[in-house]
Structures are given as C-alpha cells and as structure tokens.
Amino acid sequence: MEYRILYIEDENADSIKSDIESDGIYVDVLQPEGFEMDLNSLCKSAYDAIIMDFRLTAGIGKVDAPTFATTLRTEGDNQKKVPIIMISTERNLPHFENDSTSQNLFDMVVGKETFRRNHQKYTTRIKSFIDAYRIVVQSNFDIKTILGLDDSSKLDYRFISKLEYYKHRGDIYGYLRFINNSLVRAIGPLVGSEVLAARLGVDIDCNDFQSLIDIPEFTICKYTGVLSDTYNRWWFDKIQILWQSISPISLRRTIAQKRVEILNQKYNLNLKYAIPLKMSTSSTFWTICHEYKKPLDPTEGYQFRNRHLDEWLEPEYISLIGALEFPNNQEFLSPLDKEEVRSLGENANEKI
C-alpha cells in the first residue's frame, strides 16, 4: 500500500525525511513561508498524513505546530481525514506538554532524537494511523469493522455511546483518539503482553512465552482492529473463557507457580513463573507495576492516579519499591497511600 505524507519543517529536513522514506513512505517537505499562504496550500492538499515540527520559527512564517493543526482540524476538509503528527526536538516537548490547549490536536507526538533512534517503530506507527483513518472512512464508522469484532454487544454501553458521539459529528480524529486512549492503550477489555503474562503468571522474558501466545487458542483472542499492527493486545474476556476450558481453578485466585504448571502441562512448554518484585510477596498477579512493568498483585500495590479513567477501564498500580525508588511517582498517590509508602520506606531504612 502506498503512503505519501507532507513534512512541515523550517530547518533541515533531510535526515528525518531519509529515515521515513527508508521505511517505504514517500515524503514531500514544506518549509513555512507565511501562515496564510501555507494554510491555503495545506487546506487543498491531499496527503495521507501531515508531520510537523513544534516551533516553525526559523523562516518568515513564525508559527507553531498547534496553530497549524488547530486550523487544519477545523477548516481543512482533507485534513479531517488524515493523522497529524508532531516530531520535534526533545527540548521543545516540555513546552508542548505544558500547553493543555495543544494536547488534543495530534495523533502522535515524538521527539526527533527518539524517532531517529528507532525510526522503523515510529514509521510503522505512522502507517498504522494512516490505515486506521482509511478504515474509519471506508467503513463509515462501522464499529465492528473498525475494532475487528463479530459482535459489539459485549462492549460497555458508555464506550459505544462515546463513539456514537464522535460518529455523529463526523470527527474521525476524535473517534480514533478515543479508541487509542480508552481501549488500545489502557487496561480494560484489552490487555497488553505485560499484563497478559502477569495474569497467566508467566515470566515474560522466558523463552517459551512467545510460543505460548503463538498457539492458535491464544491467537484467536488477539485484538485485530485499528492500530493492532503497532500495539499487541488481547481481548481478556476471551482469555478468561480459554482458561476455563483448560482448568476449573480460578485464574485470579491462583498463585503464579500453579498457573504456569497448568499451562506447561496443557501445552507441553517450559514456561517460567514470574516472581514478586522486591518488597512484595504475593504472586497472585493481576496487573503490572507502572514503573517497572513487572507483575504485581493489586492488593500489594497503590493506585496510580495520573489520568482520568473511564468506567470500563481498570486502575493502574505502582509497587512499593517503584514508589520508593522513584519518589516523583508519589505525587500520583492518594494522601493515605503516600503516607503509608513513606512510613514503610522509613521502616525499611531503619532495618538496613
């Protein structure tokens, strides 16, 4: 499939352009000359995606990416149907992150240095967003096609209602942003590989974990909707049904070692069971530590309240060691949890 994007950059664009084109995307570069002139040109353009730097101030245009993006999202008919992505120097990103009015404009934001270190990962993600926009347009917002579902009735009605709101407005960007943030990149109906491994009790770094998830019974549980080519996710209700066909024992209440014994016996594998993080003891894992991305029993963790969670999503947790070794994480804890973490940390230091 062919991809053609416009890269708006006021400085030398050769290196990023070369990286993107090496991964099979054709790139046109636009150097801003004046807001009105460029805007008129952009509103008539028909690219598959638009990439821009944050500060476009080297030339005579003197405009930033949020200004362009805001106008394109509202006035550019063609641009309402394509992703807009920011690739900027790391030193500029804090300015963007501190501007709350700019947060809801871009499908993806990444630093130039980060992009160049792993350009294949990010160009794959760009292609994934382009394909997602195309699917929404071609399916006319059909939720089953977009999410790769045979039946959408198991989805939370509030999730469906929100998608219907964006559909009614014809807001493709809002529709996909909501799916990305409130389904794909969250713990809820879908889980990522780290959470899946934790709930199965498996050490994700062991050699046979990939063999496990490649088994047909597991692959049919995979999410196949938009953005699935860049984020590996599984429908956990299907995993639960699969487990029940393997063993009558409750997955949630079983220790990791027992879960892994059952899986090894069933599939003739050599899976290793996960062990608790330092300062934790329980192996009835059900989530992961926000800091370390390692298995955690929620009863031994602390709710990590760094963002609003929709009703169908599960809380994120941080382990005691994650909260102690990275104190900045404590600002996202409740006052009671914060006090408990500090107290336990002081007691641990006294024993050393």
Side-chain angles (χ1 to χ4, degrees):
M1 187 177 294
E2 184 175 302
Y3 301 92
R4 187 184 185 96
I5 67 173
L6 179 66
Y7 180 23
I8 306 173
E9 174 61 272
D10 58 339
E11 297 182 339
N12 191 310
D14 290 347
S15 61
I16 297 291
K17 171 181 165 70
S18 176
D19 287 339
I20 296 174
E21 290 192 328
S22 71
D23 294 317
I25 300 178
Y26 186 82
V27 181
D28 283 338
V29 176
L30 171 66
Q31 292 188 314
E33 296 180 359
F35 180 67
E36 294 297 334
M37 181 188 306
D38 295 326
L39 185 61
N40 289 335
S41 174
L42 285 171
C43 285
K44 296 175 183 177
S45 67
Y47 288 93
D48 296 312
I50 295 176
I51 298 176
M52 57 185 73
D53 194 0
F54 179 56
R55 298 293 188 198
L56 301 168
T57 56
I60 63 174
K62 305 291 184 185
V63 67
D64 60 18
T67 304
F68 265 129
T70 299
T71 308
L72 292 173
R73 289 290 187 201
T74 55
E75 297 183 19
D77 289 339
N78 292 329
Q79 286 68 40
K80 293 177 182 178
K81 300 177 182 178
V82 301
I84 301 177
I85 294 153
M86 183 193 295
I87 300 178
S88 190
T89 57
E90 261 78 0
R91 68 176 181 274
N92 281 334
L93 292 184
H95 299 290
F96 167 77
E97 292 165 356
N98 292 330
D99 181 6
S100 59
T101 61
S102 301
Q103 299 299 309
N104 297 326
L105 294 171
F106 300 94
D107 296 274
M108 186 175 85
V109 177
V110 61
K112 286 183 179 178
E113 295 85 347
T114 301
F115 182 91
R116 296 220 63 197
R117 283 195 299 269
N118 200 349
H119 62 83
Q120 189 171 35
K121 167 185 173 180
Y122 290 105
T123 51
T124 298
R125 197 162 291 177
I126 291 169
K127 292 176 184 178
S128 185
F129 275 111
I130 292 172
D131 291 341
Y133 272 77
R134 288 173 173 173
I135 289 170
V136 173
V137 172
Q138 292 166 4
S139 72
N140 191 28
F141 292 89
D142 181 69
I143 188 172
K144 290 193 290 186
T145 301
I146 293 165
L147 297 182
L149 294 170
D150 295 325
D151 179 14
S152 62
S153 64
K154 293 184 179 181
L155 293 171
D156 190 287
Y157 73 93
R158 292 161 293 193
F159 176 79
I160 295 175
S161 177
K162 190 71 172 180
L163 288 181
E164 287 294 322
Y165 165 77
Y166 289 116
K167 176 182 177 180
H168 179 73
R169 296 180 60 190
D171 184 355
I172 302 172
Y173 166 69
Y175 194 96
L176 287 172
R177 179 181 175 84
F178 183 68
I179 289 173
N180 191 23
N181 291 338
S182 296
L183 181 67
V184 176
R185 297 179 62 195
I187 302 173
L190 297 181
V191 296
S193 54
E194 293 95 346
V195 175
L196 177 64
R199 293 186 178 182
L200 295 176
V202 179
D203 178 353
I204 196 171
D205 296 320
C206 74
N207 292 333
D208 272 4
F209 179 68
Q210 186 62 49
S211 299
L212 175 68
I213 60 178
D214 284 343
I215 292 170
E217 290 98 318
F218 280 86
T219 59
I220 63 174
C221 299
K222 284 202 75 173
Y223 169 68
T224 59
V226 294
L227 305 177
S228 61
D229 47 356
T230 190
Y231 294 105
N232 285 320
R233 298 293 185 265
W234 288 260
W235 292 105
F236 195 70
D237 64 329
K238 293 184 178 181
I239 295 291
Q240 288 273 44
I241 293 170
L242 172 59
W243 177 265
Q244 290 166 7
S245 73
I246 297 171
S247 172
I249 299 175
S250 167
L251 182 61
R252 178 66 182 88
R253 292 194 291 270
T254 305
I255 63 172
Q257 185 173 359
K258 183 62 177 178
R259 299 177 197 179
V260 168
E261 287 175 0
I262 292 169
L263 290 170
N264 281 337
Q265 183 176 8
K266 171 66 177 179
Y267 296 111
N268 192 29
L269 295 172
N270 189 30
L271 298 163
K272 307 299 181 185
Y273 60 86
I275 60 174
L277 283 162
K278 181 181 177 182
M279 302 187 79
S280 297
T281 58
S282 173
S283 70
T284 52
F285 305 123
W286 205 247
T287 189
I288 55 174
C289 170
H290 174 86
E291 183 62 45
Y292 290 107
K293 311 303 180 189
K294 293 296 184 181
L296 179 68
D297 180 344
T299 64
E300 289 192 323
Y302 301 91
Q303 280 198 32
F304 194 75
R305 308 167 190 267
N306 66 330
R307 65 172 181 140
H308 167 75
L309 288 177
D310 295 301
E311 294 85 349
W312 54 89
L313 299 179
E314 300 181 22
E316 292 184 68
Y317 289 85
I318 191 164
S319 63
L320 176 57
I321 191 65
L324 289 173
E325 293 196 347
F326 298 87
N328 288 343
N329 286 321
Q330 294 180 26
E331 66 176 290
F332 300 110
L333 305 182
S334 71
L336 286 177
D337 285 347
K338 191 181 301 183
E339 183 64 30
E340 180 177 309
V341 166
R342 290 173 178 170
S343 175
L344 291 171
E346 290 170 359
N347 290 336
N349 288 334
E350 290 174 0
K351 294 177 181 178
I352 296 176

